Structure formats: structure tokens, C-alpha cells
Amino acid sequence: MKPRVLIVNKFYYRRGGDCVCALNLERLLRERGHEVAVFSMDHPENLPSEWSRYWASGVDFSGGAKEKVAAVRRILGQGDIRKSFGRILREFKPDVVHLHNIHSYLSPIVGRMARAAGARVVWTLHDYKLLCPAYACLRNGTVCEECFTDKKRVLATRCMKGSLAASALAYAEALKWNRKTLEKFTHKFICPSSFMARKMSQGGFSEGKLATLCNFIAPEAAEEFLRLSAQGHSGPREAYYCYIGRLSPEKGVGTLLEAAAELPFELRVAGGGPLADELRNRFSHCKNIKFLGHLGGDEIVELLSRARLSVMPSECYENNPLGVIESLCAGTPVVGAEIGGIPELIDNESGVTFPSGSVDELRQAILKAWNGGFDNDAIARQSLVRFSSTAYYTKLMEIYTR
């Protein structure tokens, strides 16, 4: 009998990569014949769900004193979350509880409760929260690993939003949900990249608790890439390259635009973020840089499928970026920074890597890739198998049942 699975993620809409992965997993498991339930937090943008009556109430860290107290209690596993999660555990009776992004707005208390109820607990890690109280392994814009072995460093550095209060709360959360506590109730931590698995091991987590499983591309996106390929879009590409992602410092988009300003090729930039207005103004004189704003899923597929190449210029520990996976499934080679999990997704046949943060090296990598003569059809064909839902599901069932 196929295991009954309860998926847990703090939001139930396409807010970020963690939400996309959780939604894709729900659909995949249902299509494979599993009974699936979902637990989340109430939020006005959530998608409709038959399970929403069980969900935890919303919390607001930016609200008034009462709201802040409720949010702090949630972090520590107190308040109504015990009642709401206990109810869905009793009524759905899952064999597996699959955690995704649960810190702050939900709580690791759900994992402890699931284990006590006899469920197998697996946890897909979408960020570095279990190693870094501030999530991102960044301090003042540069990579930092100080908290891997000494969580109280977050107090000295004030990495959490630059605030002592927020950093103190993050430290309290790290003490409450420490490595030994988390390992007791989690059967497997799923690391989407080998890089993350190595960092988890470096941070003291038992290698026997770690499993590496790359994210998969949604079947509907894969079908669209195949359709466009059949129409000839994987043949000669249009004369542009693209960046798709958040316009924020850690993504390296400023470095990319500096490199692009000195190249003769057209760069199309899709996405928004805190640097959007600044970058538009700063590079307004560059006629070869076009800002497209936010694009829908179909528009992104179209943009990637026609591009000569895409760029992932991150300056942070990317885990398993969906942008690289989608680009490769479109048959589009990737120029990727040598940081985090990016390099393990790219080989000489599918792209070019460069030292993260270097404008000159990035410029040379783009030139190399532009004239690289890549086989777009071969990249798409191999990637659609490598990142398929079938490959993911096979490995996931091993994690669920062993």
C-alpha cells in the first residue's frame, strides 16, 4: 500500500521556491495514487484546499504587541499550532509527514508531534536555517559560516535583519530547536544539493540522517519545453541572453549588469526585488539591457526557450536553484557562479562556470558561452530525464520507506 503523506509548508501559494516544490510534490503524489493532506498557515493569498480548516492561524511579526507575542510563541512551538496540527494528525493518520519550510510561521514542533504519533518524518531543506539562524549564511553581503558551530555569533553580528531583537529571537529559536533535538524526531533530512549535504555534515548533522535528492521540474513545464522544442525553438536561438530571478544583492545581479554593460549582446532581465529601481536607473543608458519585470510561468518558459543562454550570477550559497534546472530543461546553456549547489548542475556540455563575484570573469564566461556551439537539443533531452518527476519519485519512495 502506498504511504499516506502529510505535506507541511508555512505558505500554500507560489510565494517562493519552497512553496513551488511543496505544491509540485502534492500534485506528483496525488498523480501517483497517494492519499495526500496539506498543513499550512492561514494566509490571504493561499490557494483553496480541502484541508484549510485544519491550518494554524496566521501570525504577524510586524504587527502590534499582541501579534508579536503570538509570533514568538509560534516560533517556540506554543499556542494554537499544537491543537491544529494534532487534529490533522489524528484524523488523517499519515504514514509520512514531509516537512518543507516550517520555521517561524509554523514550528518544528510539528515534526516532534508527527514522530510521537508514529509517522515517518522527512524534511526537505530549502535554506540553511538549521545551520544559520539568519537563514542565508551571509553577513554584510559576504558568505559567513560562523554560526555553524556557535549559534550565539548571530547576537554579535546582528545578522537577522540587522536587529539585536530579531537576532536574539533567532538565537532563542536555534537553542530551542538545536541539532540534537531535530535529529531525534527527523528520520531523514533531504538535501536538494550535495553542497548542502556537505554543509549539514560540517555543521555536525549525522551523515546517516542526510539524503541528497535534487528538485524536479513540474510535469506541465516539462511538457511545455518539449512542445517548444518540437516547434523548433531549440534550434537557432534569438540574439539575447537572460537573467530570471530576484533583483537583490546576494543574487549577484549587479555584478551581471556591470559585465553586460560592456558586452555587445542583449540581456533581458526578468524579476523584481529591492534593487529593481536602483538598477533600472543605474543602467538606463545601456540600450542592450532590457528589464522585463515579473513574468508568468508561460512567459518564463518562452523567454528561456528562445534565449542563447541564461546566467545565474549568485553571490550566496544557492542550494538547488530552479532557474538553472528550468534553463537546462529548455535546452538553454547556463553561465553559473561557482558557489553553493550551482556548479553541480552544470558540466562542459551544458554551460560555463566562473568565480562568484568577479565582473571580468563573468564577462569572459558569457563570451565563451555565447560562442560555445552548445547542442540545445541534447541539453534539453538529458535534462528532462535527469530532473524528471519520475526520477525524483523513485528516489523519494526509497526515503519514505527505508
Side-chain angles (χ1 to χ4, degrees):
M1 181 177 293
K2 295 183 176 182
R4 295 161 58 87
V5 182
L6 172 57
I7 297 172
V8 184
N9 195 59
K10 58 189 180 184
F11 298 108
Y12 191 67
Y13 66 100
R14 299 177 75 87
R15 179 186 177 102
D18 58 311
C19 302
V20 171
C21 288
L23 289 167
N24 287 346
L25 175 62
E26 179 189 6
R27 176 175 175 177
L28 172 63
L29 291 174
R30 290 188 190 281
E31 290 175 347
R32 299 288 176 141
H34 295 263
E35 291 186 65
V36 183
V38 177
F39 184 78
S40 187
M41 179 191 77
D42 285 336
H43 190 276
E45 295 185 54
N46 281 343
L47 299 171
S49 171
E50 63 182 299
W51 300 101
S52 60
R53 66 185 183 276
Y54 295 95
W55 293 355
S57 61
V59 293
D60 184 2
F61 288 87
S62 62
K66 184 178 180 180
E67 287 78 13
K68 284 185 170 67
V69 170
V72 171
R73 284 171 55 81
R74 175 66 56 79
I75 281 178
L76 300 178
Q78 301 171 1
D80 68 338
I81 191 167
R82 291 172 179 263
K83 181 179 179 179
S84 56
F85 192 68
R87 182 183 171 205
I88 198 171
L89 279 176
R90 290 191 302 273
E91 297 189 18
F92 183 66
K93 297 180 174 62
D95 301 304
V96 176
V97 172
H98 192 150
L99 310 178
H100 284 265
N101 199 339
I102 61 171
H103 273 88
S104 300
Y105 291 96
L106 294 179
S107 167
I109 191 65
V110 299
R112 177 185 283 174
M113 293 175 65
R115 180 67 178 261
R120 183 172 177 83
V121 179
V122 302
W123 190 344
T124 295
L125 305 177
H126 297 281
D127 54 44
Y128 299 90
K129 177 66 171 176
L130 303 192
L131 300 172
C132 169
Y135 291 91
C137 300
L138 286 172
R139 179 161 63 93
N140 297 325
T142 59
V143 169
C144 174
E145 298 182 356
E146 291 186 23
C147 287
F148 281 23
T149 54
D150 184 7
K151 297 296 187 290
K152 69 175 177 291
R153 287 296 301 159
V154 71
L155 296 175
T157 60
R158 301 189 183 188
C159 288
M160 193 68 173
K161 302 179 180 179
S163 162
L164 179 59
S167 298
L169 183 57
Y171 178 54
E173 184 178 18
L175 290 182
K176 171 73 174 179
W177 304 112
N178 58 71
R179 175 181 58 80
K180 290 183 179 180
T181 297
L182 299 178
E183 286 189 328
K184 283 181 181 178
F185 64 72
T186 306
H187 291 84
K188 286 288 184 181
F189 297 98
I190 298 178
C191 303
S193 65
S194 296
F195 177 86
M196 170 167 272
R198 292 194 300 272
K199 291 301 173 185
M200 287 289 287
S201 179
Q202 179 184 330
F205 282 81
S206 169
E207 292 188 6
K209 289 280 188 178
L210 306 176
T212 301
L213 177 56
C214 181
N215 293 322
F216 68 95
I217 187 169
E220 61 271 22
E223 291 172 4
E224 183 65 9
F225 286 133
L226 284 170
R227 183 186 69 79
L228 292 173
S229 177
Q231 292 180 353
H233 287 193
S234 63
R237 299 301 183 101
E238 294 185 18
Y240 71 85
Y241 62 113
C242 64
Y243 167 81
I244 301 172
R246 183 170 169 78
L247 305 185
S248 55
E250 75 278 3
K251 295 300 183 179
V253 65
T255 301
L256 169 59
L257 295 184
E258 286 185 38
E262 298 182 25
L263 291 170
F265 319 125
E266 180 181 315
L267 169 64
R268 298 183 185 179
V269 178
L275 293 183
D277 291 340
E278 175 189 331
L279 293 175
R280 283 178 182 271
N281 293 332
R282 181 178 165 193
F283 292 94
S284 60
H285 65 285
C286 299
K287 304 304 180 184
N288 63 325
I289 298 176
K290 299 186 181 301
F291 292 90
L292 307 179
H294 287 285
L295 298 182
D298 291 343
E299 294 173 307
I300 289 174
V301 168
E302 186 78 12
L303 179 68
L304 281 173
S305 296
R306 295 181 180 275
R308 190 79 166 261
L309 57 96
S310 72
V311 185
M312 182 64 66
S314 298
E315 295 171 10
C316 62
Y317 280 169
E318 293 283 1
N319 182 7
N320 186 234
L322 185 60
V324 175
I325 292 173
E326 289 182 333
S327 182
L328 296 177
C329 287
T332 304
V334 177
V335 172
E338 295 167 357
I339 194 169
I342 296 173
E344 63 195 72
L345 297 173
I346 304 168
D347 59 25
N348 292 334
E349 303 302 317
S350 61
V352 177
T353 62
F354 70 97
S356 177
S358 172
V359 173
D360 290 338
E361 295 279 4
L362 174 52
R363 186 185 307 111
Q364 292 304 313
I366 293 171
L367 282 168
K368 181 178 179 180
W370 188 271
N371 299 307
F374 292 99
D375 187 333
N376 303 110
D377 287 328
I379 293 173
R381 185 169 56 250
Q382 294 166 11
S383 299
L384 286 168
V385 172
R386 178 185 177 190
F387 304 116
S388 70
S389 59
T390 298
Y392 179 91
Y393 179 79
T394 299
K395 294 180 180 178
L396 183 65
M397 288 304 103
E398 294 177 0
I399 295 171
Y400 278 2
T401 57
R402 293 181 183 176

